Amino acid sequence: MWTEQASGSGTRRRRERSPEEELHTTQDGWWQMTLRALRTLLLFSIILGLSLLLWGYVFQGCGPSPCKTSVCQDLLDLYLASGNTSVAPCTDFFSFACGNINRTGSPFQALAEENKRRVRRILETPGSWRLAPGEEKAFEFYNSCMNMSAIEAAGASPFRQVIEELGGWSIFGNWTPLDFNQTLSLLMSQYGHFPFFRAYLKPLPTPPYLPVIQRVAPAIDWLSCLQATFAPMSLSPSYRVAVHDLEYLKNMSQLIEKDLMKHRDFLQSHIIFGLVKTLSPALDSQFQEAHRSLSQKVGELTGRPPMVRTAGEEFFQPVHPRWMTCVEKTEAFFEPTLATLFIKETFKPSTHSAAMELFTTIKDTFISHLHTVPWMDRETRAEAQDRLTQLQVKMGPSEWALKPDPARQEYDDVQLGPSFLQTFLSCVRSRQARVIQGFLQPFSSHRWQVLPWGLKASYSIPDHVMVFPAGLLQPPFFHPGYPRAVNFGAAGSIMARELLHIFDQLLLPGGCPACDTRALQKALLCLERLYAALPSPKGTSFNVSRTLLEDAADAGALAIALKAYKKRLVLFRGETILPNLDLSPRQLFFRSYAQVMCRDPSTQDPQDIRSPPTLRVHGPLSDSPAFTTHFRCPQGALLNPPSRCQLW
C-alpha cells in the first residue's frame, strides 16, 4: 500500500508493508544472523585448528629433542662422570659440572692424549695412506723407536760414542776437556741440547732489540754459538736478538766464569746429565730410569714435581708409555708428513664448515656487541670493528700443512741406523735444518704455524691471522653433531676469548686515551671486586690484579658466546639436548662452558696469569644475569650477586 506525505519541497510517496510482509522480513533477518554466526564460528574453528597445527609444528618440530648419536652419548657419559649434580648449581657450579674431575681428568689433558692416540693409529697403519717418496721414513722411525729390544741390546755403547765426541767424561777416566764455547756450539747445533739457555728463531714482535747480551753475559761466545746453531744463516754482531730474561743470562755468565770454570769436571757432568735427558727417548731403559729418578729427586728438593703445560694449563706429568714417547718424537721430526695425515683423518670438510660457521657467528656477534660497551668511544669502536672484519682465520689445517713440500716428500738428510740413537740424532739435525730453511722463506706463514694436533689457538699480530688447530676442534669441545648449546658454550667461548685478547691493550693504563677512562676503570674495579668476593679453592692463592686481563676475557667470552647462541636459536629451528641430563638448551650452554675449565684446582701454578678453575667458572657466571634466570638462582645465592659489571 502506498501513502503520500507532503513536505516543504514537494510530495513523497512511501510504501507501507503488510503484516504478512513484516513477518517474512523478520524471519529472513533471523536466518541471516544465524548464517553469519555459523560462518564466524566456522572461521574461528578453522583458525583454531590451524593454530594448533602451527603450534605442533613449531614447538614440537623446533623444540629440543634428545641427541642419541654415539658422539652425543660419549659426551653425556663424560658429563655424568665429571659432574656432581647433588650440588646446588647456584652455589657451586664448578662442583656441579666438575665435582668428580679427579675421576675423569682435565678435558684438555684427555684431548691431548686422544690426539696422540689418533697419531698412533696413523703410524701403525702405514698401508692405509698414500705416501710420497721418503715419507715412509716417519713410519720406520716410529717402528725403530718402539723396538725396545734392539735399543736394550745396543746398551750404552751408542751414548759412549757421543760422550767421546764431547771430549769424554772424568767418570770414565778418559776426559780431554774441550773449549767451553766449542762444546756449547756442538751441543746446540748437533745434539739439539741447550744446557744453559734456549735459542730459537721467531719474528721479533716489536723492534728494536739491542744486542746487550754480548756485554752483560760475556762467558758465552754468542756469535759463534748462534751461528753454529742456525747455520747456514749468516749472522753478525749487529743482528737483533730478543732476550726474555736478561738478568738470568747475566747471573748464568757470572756463575760460569767465577765458579764452574774452576771445576770443569762438575761443568762436564752437568752437560752430560742434561744430554741424557734430551736423548733419553733413544737410550736404553737404564738411562731412562736414571733420568726419572733424577727428575723426581730434583722435584722433591725444589718442591715442584715435573709438570707439563698444554693449552695454557699445567698438570702433573705421568710416566709416559713408550708409544706416547715415540709418537711425540715422530711428530717433532716428521711434522710435515704427519700434519697432512692428521688433518685427513680428523678434520673432514663438514667439520671445517661447521667450525667456520661457528666462528663467523661469534665474530659477527662481537662486532655488533661492541655497540653496547659503555666505556668505548665511537672512533675506538669503529677501529675495533674494522680489525675484527679484516681478521683472517685459519680453521683446522694451516696452508703449510697442505702444500707440497720437498722436505716432506724426501727427507734426504735423514739417515736411519745403524743404532736408534744415531737415527734420533740424524732426525734432530734434519728438523733443525728444516726449521731454519722455513724461517728463510719469503712468505710469512711461519709466523703462525700451529701444530694440527695442538690445543692452543694462535694469533699473529703482524699478519693479523688467527689459527684454530684441528686438534682443538674435537670432542668434547666441538663436533658438528653436537647440540648447538655445546658447541657455542665450549668451542664458541674459546673463540670469543681469543678474539677479546686482540684488544687487551685497550684495558691497560693509557691503552685507550680516547675512551671513557672513568667508566673503564669503574668496570675493571667492579670485575676485580667480583672475583675477590668469590671463595678460592683450599690450598690455592692468586693475585686478582695479575689475572685481571684473563678474567676480563673469560667474562666477556661467556657473554658474547651466549649472545651468539641466542641469535642462532632465532634463525634456526631444531635444537637438541643431551638425554637424561635434565638440562634445557640454555642450561646446557652454561654446563658446556664450565666443562672447558674442569681440572684439579690443586695443580694451579701460583704464578699462573689465569685464575684458579673454580673462579674461571664462578666469575663469569656470577656476572651473567642469564645464568641466574635459567637456573632460577634465588637472591643471596653465591652466583646471584646484588650487582654485576659490564666490561665487555
Side-chain angles (χ1 to χ4, degrees), residues 222-292:
W222 293 100
L223 183 59
S224 64
C225 286
L226 296 178
Q227 180 68 76
T229 303
F230 300 124
M233 289 182 64
S234 178
L235 305 182
S236 68
S238 61
Y239 205 88
R240 290 181 297 180
V241 177
V243 179
H244 293 284
D245 193 341
L246 186 61
E247 191 65 22
Y248 165 79
L249 294 181
K250 178 181 178 180
N251 294 334
M252 177 268 296
S253 177
Q254 293 175 352
L255 182 63
I256 292 175
E257 285 183 317
K258 295 181 180 179
D259 299 321
L260 295 184
M261 287 300 185
K262 300 176 183 178
H263 308 282
R264 297 292 299 273
D265 56 341
F266 178 80
L267 185 63
Q268 186 75 352
S269 295
H270 169 76
I271 291 174
I272 298 298
F273 289 150
L275 190 59
V276 168
K277 175 182 178 180
T278 300
L279 303 181
S280 63
L283 303 176
D284 67 43
S285 57
Q286 295 185 32
F287 285 100
Q288 296 174 21
E289 183 58 37
H291 164 57
R292 278 194 292 268

Side-chain angles (χ1 to χ4, degrees), residues 32 56 96 131 162 177 223 228-229 282 304 308 314 344 375 381 408 458 464 477 492 496 510 565 582 585 587 598 646:
Q32 289 175 1
F96 178 81
L131 303 175
V162 172
L223 183 59
T229 303
R304 296 191 63 190
V308 63
E314 288 188 329
K344 291 179 179 178
W375 50 267
R381 181 182 297 111
R408 179 178 75 202
S458 174
H464 198 39
F477 302 142
Y565 175 58
D582 196 26
Q587 289 175 329
C598 286
Q646 186 184 359

Side-chain angles (χ1 to χ4, degrees), residues 380-394:
T380 302
R381 181 182 297 111
E383 291 176 356
Q385 290 172 330
D386 287 342
R387 290 190 70 186
L388 289 170
T389 302
Q390 297 167 9
L391 177 69
Q392 299 180 58
V393 62
K394 306 296 181 181

Side-chain angles (χ1 to χ4, degrees), residues 260-520:
L260 295 184
M261 287 300 185
K262 300 176 183 178
H263 308 282
R264 297 292 299 273
D265 56 341
F266 178 80
L267 185 63
Q268 186 75 352
S269 295
H270 169 76
I271 291 174
I272 298 298
F273 289 150
L275 190 59
V276 168
K277 175 182 178 180
T278 300
L279 303 181
S280 63
L283 303 176
D284 67 43
S285 57
Q286 295 185 32
F287 285 100
Q288 296 174 21
E289 183 58 37
H291 164 57
R292 278 194 292 268
S293 299
L294 179 61
S295 298
Q296 182 178 357
K297 190 63 178 178
V298 171
E300 293 173 357
L301 293 174
T302 59
R304 296 191 63 190
M307 304 186 80
V308 63
R309 177 175 288 274
T310 298
E313 69 170 77
E314 288 188 329
F315 46 84
F316 293 105
Q317 181 177 13
V319 177
H320 274 355
R322 181 63 183 178
W323 70 264
M324 191 175 291
T325 299
C326 293
V327 163
E328 290 176 350
K329 294 306 174 184
T330 312
E331 287 174 344
F333 297 145
F334 298 91
E335 176 187 310
T337 292
L338 290 182
T340 302
L341 299 181
F342 184 85
I343 293 297
K344 291 179 179 178
E345 177 71 11
T346 65
F347 210 68
K348 308 298 182 185
S350 59
T351 305
H352 177 271
S353 177
M356 282 299 300
E357 182 180 345
L358 174 63
F359 178 80
T360 301
T361 305
I362 294 291
K363 186 181 75 170
D364 291 347
T365 301
F366 188 16
I367 291 174
S368 61
H369 179 78
L370 287 173
H371 288 288
T372 68
V373 178
W375 50 267
M376 191 174 284
D377 66 287
R378 181 180 301 177
E379 183 178 352
T380 302
R381 181 182 297 111
E383 291 176 356
Q385 290 172 330
D386 287 342
R387 290 190 70 186
L388 289 170
T389 302
Q390 297 167 9
L391 177 69
Q392 299 180 58
V393 62
K394 306 296 181 181
M395 197 67 64
S398 302
E399 293 174 359
W400 67 271
L402 301 180
K403 284 184 177 181
D405 182 356
R408 179 178 75 202
Q409 295 174 358
E410 299 176 5
Y411 299 105
D412 283 341
D413 53 351
V414 173
Q415 303 298 320
L416 303 178
S419 70
F420 181 62
L421 177 58
Q422 290 170 306
T423 298
F424 188 91
L425 291 174
S426 177
C427 290
V428 167
R429 295 156 190 162
S430 173
R431 178 179 181 272
Q432 179 70 352
R434 192 164 59 247
V435 169
I436 295 170
Q437 189 62 34
F439 189 83
L440 295 175
Q441 295 297 319
F443 51 85
S444 60
S445 62
H446 61 273
R447 293 178 178 172
W448 47 264
Q449 281 190 9
V450 177
L451 298 176
W453 43 80
L455 302 184
K456 185 169 178 58
S458 174
Y459 171 65
S460 170
I461 296 177
D463 302 325
H464 198 39
V465 174
M466 187 168 287
V467 183
F468 293 94
L472 175 63
L473 299 171
Q474 302 289 333
F477 302 142
F478 181 80
H479 191 280
Y482 277 171
R484 282 194 290 264
V486 174
N487 286 336
F488 276 87
S493 65
I494 293 174
M495 292 175 178
R497 188 180 302 112
E498 294 300 323
L499 290 175
L500 281 162
H501 277 310
I502 296 177
F503 304 102
D504 278 348
Q505 184 68 29
L506 297 178
L507 306 183
L508 298 177
C512 186
C515 293
D516 186 340
T517 305
R518 184 175 180 180
L520 174 58

Side-chain angles (χ1 to χ4, degrees), residues 35-57:
L35 287 174
R36 283 197 297 268
L38 289 173
R39 290 192 191 103
T40 302
L41 180 62
L42 179 61
L43 181 61
F44 176 78
S45 300
I46 292 173
I47 294 174
L48 179 61
L50 290 175
S51 299
L52 291 173
L53 288 174
L54 184 62
W55 181 89
Y57 174 76

